[in-house]
Amino acid sequence: MAAGIANPEVKYTQLFINNEWVNSESGKTFPTINPTTGEVIANVQEGDKLDVDKAVKAASKAFELGSEWRTMDASQRGLLLFRLADLIERDRELLASLESLDNGKPFQDAYNIDLGLVIKCYRYYAGWADKNHGKTIPIDGTLLSYTRHEPVGVCGQIIPWNFPLLMQAWKLGPALATGNVVVMKLAEQTPLTGLHVCSLIKEAGFPAGVVNVLAGFGPTAGAAIAEHMDIDKVAFTGSTEVGKIIQKAAGGSNVKNVTLELGGKSPLIVMDDADLDKAVELAHFALFFNQGQCCCAGTRLMVQEGIYDKFVEKATERAKLRKVGDPFKSETEQGPQVNEKQMNTVLGYIKSGIAEGANLRVGGGRWGDKGCFVEPTVFSDVTDDMKICKEEIFGPVQVIQKFKTVDEVIQRANKNTYGLAGAVFTQNLDRAMFISNSLRAGTVWVNCYDALDVQAPFGGYKMSGIGRELGEYALHNYTEVKTVTIALTQKNS
């Protein structure tokens, strides 16, 4: 088992444009902070509108007809993605260490879960590169008609801070497999691993300008991507609030193609007949994994009245056992929140829950006196009108509610502005099918949670987003379907 590198070398802090490391046009930098200690890790070049313009020009040139990228065989694009996956696997311990340092997540989670999924993602889309194709269509008359799946063009991609490497892979994999070029903005809270991957993109042999990456802030670099007239598509993962801004900017500029993977308040329903111990443990994982900083976390735990009291008791005891501390210690289950702002946001929600009358069972405060840690927290007796029940907390705060009937829980679960994910725990197959088919959510898990893999699509209903990531469905986001019809002198059926 890899132990991690507590003080990994930070080699890359500049912008990556046209396969070169460059300083920002403004000369500005910003610090990236270690959330475990509050100390500065490194100062990173701050990209803004001028740098986005520069990156878009490089990407547009790489996408020109006759360029190396546009004339490359699809199978060769796949080979480059396979090479990138191999290089990430070679640097797996270093990348996981940088992720833990910059984000605060436990090293073992970064190494075993995040990096494992990253490598699988690039290899999966490498395999798709020469298998995404159109159809021949038997239209009437002496005509031949067929479709082509063509790349959209210059794709702007904006990724979040909770899974930096994985979200980069979810975006780059399908975009590059289908022949697009990319201008990506990394989250300003966690830029280090995304920049390191750029060095591997160059080492793998991707032509200059195909992938361009900058670190920067949403109102400057992010807005410049969303509004840019020469960017053909924007893909964003993050908050619903920012997603609305991006969609408006895309519509107000060149009506660019938009995909959004946004927030969630996912119901996790536990029926009376569920395996109680399994449900408690998986509900704990569903909420507390990644410090609660998951868009699809099981943040609305709904337990049927027959087992409610036992469930709350066991869930509270499990939270008390959760090991919080240094992300590089092997026994650590929970590291710090990503930064002080997020820690204070979570603590604010906890205060709201107490003020509105929820029953605080355990936790409720800051953990320790250094770093951005929050105690594992459990609330019971939560009602639908409470803030902690309605809004996305994005922290280690478990919210437990009681329900009586199947019809009641479906109605309450769907009374939700979000629709990213959901789950049901029951030993009754008919009930599992009925509830899973009734929930207005893009993903529903039965007797499991966070069972995500690259082959299966992921995305939300309602205010949780537009479009799907992962699986074959993600390829649709990055292709235009062109119909070509040719007149013939004679046709044979």
Side-chain angles (χ1 to χ4, degrees):
M1 179 176 15
I5 306 163
N7 294 294
E9 181 183 0
V10 177
K11 294 181 180 180
Y12 306 104
T13 59
Q14 293 176 286
L15 312 181
F16 184 75
I17 298 175
N18 210 35
N19 270 12
E20 299 294 334
W21 295 104
V22 297
N23 289 336
S24 62
E25 290 294 312
S26 69
K28 291 181 182 178
T29 62
F30 66 92
T32 185
I33 307 296
N34 180 347
T36 302
T37 64
E39 298 170 353
V40 174
I41 303 168
N43 287 298
V44 178
Q45 292 290 317
E46 180 185 335
D48 59 21
K49 185 179 185 302
L50 291 176
D51 304 293
V52 170
D53 288 342
K54 188 176 178 180
V56 170
K57 286 179 182 177
S60 297
K61 185 170 180 59
F63 195 68
E64 287 178 351
L65 291 176
S67 69
E68 180 183 0
W69 184 242
R70 291 298 298 277
T71 58
M72 184 180 291
D73 288 339
S75 60
Q76 180 64 20
R77 290 201 306 269
L79 182 58
L80 293 180
L81 282 166
F82 276 123
R83 286 178 186 164
L84 177 58
D86 291 344
L87 292 170
I88 291 171
E89 189 165 46
R90 181 196 69 189
D91 289 359
R92 184 171 184 163
E93 185 173 17
L94 172 60
L95 284 164
S97 299
L98 284 170
E99 197 87 313
S100 294
L101 183 74
D102 208 13
N103 170 278
K105 66 178 65 192
F107 168 79
Q108 293 301 329
D109 286 353
Y111 185 88
N112 293 310
I113 300 174
D114 292 25
L115 265 296
L117 291 172
V118 166
I119 293 164
K120 283 181 71 175
C121 183
Y122 284 117
R123 287 176 176 157
Y124 176 82
Y125 284 110
W128 265 113
D130 59 358
K131 300 170 187 67
N132 180 38
H133 49 75
K135 299 178 180 180
T136 303
I137 304 167
I139 65 172
D140 295 349
T142 53
L143 300 166
L144 169 66
S145 189
Y146 63 91
T147 57
R148 284 169 49 84
H149 292 182
E150 298 187 351
V152 172
V154 180
C155 298
Q157 300 181 325
I158 303 171
I159 64 171
W161 47 258
N162 56 339
F163 292 94
L165 281 168
L166 189 56
M167 294 302 99
Q168 185 179 50
W170 282 21
K171 296 287 189 289
L172 288 181
L176 298 177
T178 49
N180 295 278
V181 292
V182 171
V183 175
M184 175 178 283
K185 188 193 89 67
L186 306 173
E188 64 270 22
Q189 299 89 343
T190 54
L192 298 182
T193 50
L195 292 173
H196 187 95
V197 168
C198 292
S199 70
L200 306 183
I201 287 169
K202 184 174 181 178
E203 185 178 350
F206 283 87
V210 171
V211 179
N212 306 274
V213 177
L214 54 150
F217 295 87
T220 51
I225 289 172
E227 297 168 357
H228 207 289
M229 295 297 292
D230 293 324
I231 288 180
D232 303 295
K233 174 194 172 54
V234 63
F236 169 76
T237 297
S239 71
T240 297
E241 178 186 10
V242 176
K244 289 179 179 179
I245 295 170
I246 287 172
Q247 188 171 21
K248 186 175 180 180
S253 53
N254 58 345
V255 199
K256 57 177 64 67
N257 181 314
V258 177
T259 51
L260 303 170
E261 197 265 277
L262 307 176
K265 193 70 180 176
S266 301
L268 191 160
I269 298 166
V270 183
M271 304 300 299
D272 281 344
D273 69 337
D275 181 326
L276 183 59
D277 290 336
K278 178 182 179 181
V280 167
E281 184 60 33
L282 285 173
H284 180 87
F285 171 74
L287 187 284
F288 290 101
F289 173 63
N290 207 47
Q291 295 65 250
Q293 298 169 151
C294 294
C295 55
C296 61
T299 50
R300 196 173 171 199
L301 180 50
M302 310 176 82
V303 181
Q304 199 164 19
E305 60 182 359
I307 60 168
Y308 180 81
D309 291 339
K310 284 185 179 180
F311 190 100
V312 169
E313 180 183 345
K314 286 177 175 284
T316 301
E317 291 305 310
R318 177 62 181 92
K320 288 177 181 178
L321 295 174
R322 188 166 184 81
K323 296 185 185 301
V324 183
D326 182 351
F328 285 94
K329 290 187 176 179
S330 60
E331 67 271 18
T332 296
E333 293 180 279
Q334 180 178 314
Q337 306 311 119
V338 73
N339 58 18
E340 186 176 2
K341 179 183 177 183
Q342 186 61 24
M343 176 186 72
N344 289 333
T345 296
V346 174
L347 293 173
Y349 275 110
I350 292 171
K351 288 179 182 178
S352 168
I354 295 169
E356 291 187 332
N359 187 346
L360 179 64
R361 295 283 180 156
V362 66
R366 184 176 181 179
W367 186 90
D369 56 7
K370 185 180 182 182
C372 304
F373 296 89
V374 175
E375 292 176 333
T377 298
V378 176
F379 281 106
S380 65
D381 306 319
V382 176
T383 58
D384 292 358
D385 59 339
M386 291 180 182
K387 189 176 180 180
I388 58 173
C389 181
K390 295 188 294 183
E391 298 183 14
E392 188 175 35
I393 299 171
F394 232 57
V397 182
Q398 191 170 54
V399 172
I400 311 179
Q401 299 186 276
K402 184 190 294 186
F403 73 91
K404 291 183 179 181
T405 68
V406 169
D407 289 343
E408 174 205 343
V409 77
I410 291 171
Q411 187 273 332
R412 288 171 61 193
N414 284 335
K415 194 177 180 182
N416 186 340
T417 57
Y418 298 109
L420 189 56
V424 56
F425 285 77
T426 178
Q427 297 186 53
N428 184 308
L429 180 60
D430 286 345
R431 187 180 295 129
M433 292 292 292
F434 179 73
I435 294 174
S436 61
N437 290 343
S438 301
L439 291 177
R440 296 281 295 162
T443 295
V444 180
W445 291 292
V446 178
N447 295 328
C448 58
Y449 207 92
D450 275 346
L452 291 164
D453 217 334
V454 66
Q455 300 94 334
F458 181 78
Y461 289 19
K462 297 184 280 188
M463 288 174 63
S464 287
I466 300 169
R468 293 293 179 269
E469 303 207 75
L470 302 181
E472 182 180 0
Y473 289 86
L475 302 173
H476 305 333
N477 298 330
Y478 291 97
T479 53
E480 297 281 12
V481 177
K482 175 183 283 183
T483 302
V484 179
T485 302
I486 303 171
L488 305 174
T489 56
Q490 184 177 350
K491 183 171 80 173
N492 291 312
S493 59

